[in-house]
Structure formats: C-alpha cells, structure tokens
Amino acid sequence: ADMFANEEGGPEPDWVTTEREQFSDFRDLNKDGKMDKDEIQHWILPQDYDHALAEARHLVYESDVDKDQKLTKEEVLDNWNMFVGSQATNYGEDLTRNHDEL
C-alpha cells in the first residue's frame, strides 16, 4: 500500500503486474502464496549467481575503454567513481592500499 494503492475499478500499473509475475514465477518456489526463509535466502543469495564475478565484469566492461579486457591505471583513475562506489573494492577502501598489479 506504500507504493501502490489499489483503487476500485482502476487499472493495475504495469510494474505491479510484472512484480506479481516475478513473485509467482521465480520467488514463490513452493507456490504457497508467501515467501518462507529458504525462498528469501534463494532470492537474496542465489546459488547459481556469483555476485563478485558479476561486479568485477561490470567494472571491467564500464571502465575498459580500449576493450582489451585489461584495466590500465589510467582507466581505473578515469572511472574512479565507479570503483569507489563498488562492493568489489569495499567501496573504495581497497584502492588506498598498495597494489603492484595496478
């Protein structure tokens, strides 16, 4: 009700329909109409998805200007805001340490 107040006779927004479909197709695995602890855990930490790898790929994709699949010091510095805001660098904390690979 905080995000969508269903008014009688009013159409449901597309995003609500999409969320309902996501819930029934992917979140409510045992189809009981609610999410239990295991379903919430699967949603937040899916076993088939590597968050660190996905974030690393995202950082390389967004920062690798010459698309050689390698980041130069300049590419990292030119996109510092992407790295400082990333969980992969502990929100920039790891960038303040000496790294000879950089």
Side-chain angles (χ1 to χ4, degrees), residues 34-54:
K34 57 188 176 194
M35 290 178 70
D36 60 26
K37 181 180 176 182
D38 291 335
E39 291 166 331
I40 292 170
Q41 182 175 356
H42 184 267
W43 174 39
I44 294 173
L45 297 170
Q47 298 298 314
D48 55 348
Y49 184 76
D50 186 337
H51 291 277
L53 181 60

Side-chain angles (χ1 to χ4, degrees), residues 31-99:
K31 307 300 183 202
D32 67 352
K34 57 188 176 194
M35 290 178 70
D36 60 26
K37 181 180 176 182
D38 291 335
E39 291 166 331
I40 292 170
Q41 182 175 356
H42 184 267
W43 174 39
I44 294 173
L45 297 170
Q47 298 298 314
D48 55 348
Y49 184 76
D50 186 337
H51 291 277
L53 181 60
E55 180 63 9
R57 286 182 175 159
H58 169 71
L59 290 171
V60 171
Y61 177 81
E62 293 294 331
S63 303
D64 185 20
V65 176
D66 60 9
K67 302 302 178 197
D68 66 353
Q69 295 296 305
K70 299 174 187 173
L71 294 179
T72 64
K73 182 177 180 178
E74 289 74 27
E75 287 172 326
V76 172
L77 292 175
D78 288 346
N79 292 288
W80 67 270
N81 57 336
M82 178 100 36
F83 288 87
V84 170
S86 172
Q87 289 181 351
T89 63
N90 289 326
Y91 299 103
E93 191 174 309
D94 289 345
L95 298 177
T96 62
R97 298 192 179 104
N98 260 346
H99 289 279

